[in-house]
Amino acid sequence: MIKNLYKHRFEIFFATQLFILFGSLLFPSAFFENVLTPILFLVNTIAGIFLVSKKKKLMWFLIILFGISLVVFGSSMMSRHAEFQENFLLRLSVYFVFYILVTHQIILQIWKAKKVNNLVVIGVMCGYISLGFIAFFLFTTIELLEPNSFKGFVIDVNNTSLGLDSIMYYAYITLMTIGYGDIVPVTPLAQKAAIITGLMGQFYLVIVTAIVVGKYIQHNAKFDD
């Protein structure tokens, strides 16, 4: 069972990522943000644990993070507004660490792949989407700790779910270096975070994606010979 799940680790992780990104198109916004999104992130965490299951120490560390996220999610559902933001920041920290570790493992697995197949291609997409999630957690944390760091969206301290769609949108627009200008970083910390996000996206495309394409071309050349 676990071996079969591991074979499809990238597909499962990719599916949960897409659901988190675009699930709001299928469900009412308030219901999706307040109820489904935390659950989807927990499911995504489980998928990430399967993805790194061959690294036993790392796997158990992620299981501990998963347990922490469950406890924090449960307490945040019962907490008052004064405690909600603190719990939300802790959840952000858990997911931020989780995505950094999982993204690193995805890149390593892609890097070490001897040939390029459908699994590796999906892994490349997983890694790129994961960088967007890292940027999302980073921008959200900055805005919560230093309100008005970004011009164009506001997070209500009494309801942190408000504005998260805008932050997610901004994270991927910045990662892809599109930069429409509707949301702008206005503090030095926010500006540095935007620069780091843009660099991550470009480095990933130039280095990781280029390596995968190179392996694909090399493999096909050997097959043709």
Side-chain angles (χ1 to χ4, degrees):
M1 179 64 179
I2 295 178
K3 289 183 178 180
N4 290 331
L5 287 174
Y6 186 79
K7 290 180 180 179
H8 301 283
R9 61 193 183 281
F10 288 138
E11 291 99 321
I12 298 172
F13 195 70
F14 184 61
T16 56
Q17 287 179 320
L18 291 181
F19 215 121
I20 291 171
L21 284 176
F22 304 111
S24 59
L25 300 176
L26 305 175
F27 299 94
S29 179
F31 174 74
F32 181 78
E33 289 184 359
N34 296 324
V35 179
L36 286 184
T37 297
I39 296 174
L40 287 171
F41 271 116
L42 293 180
V43 175
N44 185 248
T45 306
I46 297 175
I49 291 173
F50 280 115
L51 196 147
V52 301
S53 59
K54 287 193 174 182
K55 302 285 186 178
K56 297 301 181 182
K57 292 182 179 180
L58 180 58
M59 182 188 72
W60 281 108
F61 179 73
L62 293 182
I63 289 174
I64 294 173
L65 283 182
F66 175 70
I68 293 174
S69 63
L70 280 176
V71 172
V72 174
F73 172 65
S75 62
S76 65
M77 294 293 289
M78 298 180 291
S79 64
R80 298 178 180 179
H81 290 309
E83 300 173 349
F84 185 82
Q85 184 179 7
E86 182 179 349
N87 290 333
F88 189 76
L89 282 171
L90 182 55
R91 283 166 56 195
L92 283 176
S93 300
V94 169
Y95 290 128
F96 184 70
V97 173
F98 165 79
Y99 263 97
I100 289 177
L101 295 175
V102 171
T103 303
H104 177 256
Q105 288 300 312
I106 290 174
I107 294 174
L108 284 181
Q109 292 181 27
I110 295 170
W111 197 286
K112 294 179 180 179
K114 295 182 179 179
K115 64 178 181 177
V116 177
N117 51 25
N118 294 337
L119 185 66
V120 173
V121 173
I122 295 176
V124 172
M125 293 188 289
C126 285
Y128 194 72
I129 294 176
S130 295
L131 292 179
F133 279 120
I134 291 174
F136 165 72
F137 297 130
L138 179 61
F139 293 152
T140 304
T141 301
I142 292 174
E143 181 64 20
L144 287 175
L145 295 177
E146 296 185 6
N148 302 317
S149 292
F150 299 88
K151 182 180 179 181
F153 61 74
V154 177
I155 301 180
D156 187 347
V157 295
N158 293 321
N159 188 356
T160 51
S161 65
L162 296 178
L164 293 184
D165 276 345
S166 296
I167 300 177
M168 185 72 78
Y169 156 79
Y170 176 69
Y172 281 96
I173 290 301
T174 305
L175 182 70
M176 295 182 288
T177 64
I178 295 176
Y180 290 119
D182 49 347
I183 299 175
V184 181
V186 295
T187 65
L189 181 60
Q191 291 168 352
K192 295 297 183 183
I195 292 174
I196 290 173
T197 300
L199 288 175
M200 286 194 307
Q202 292 302 302
F203 287 160
Y204 188 91
L205 294 176
V206 172
I207 299 175
V208 179
T209 306
I211 288 175
V212 172
V213 173
K215 288 183 178 181
Y216 177 77
I217 294 174
Q218 184 180 12
H219 177 74
N220 282 355
K222 290 181 179 179
F223 182 78
D224 292 337
D225 292 342

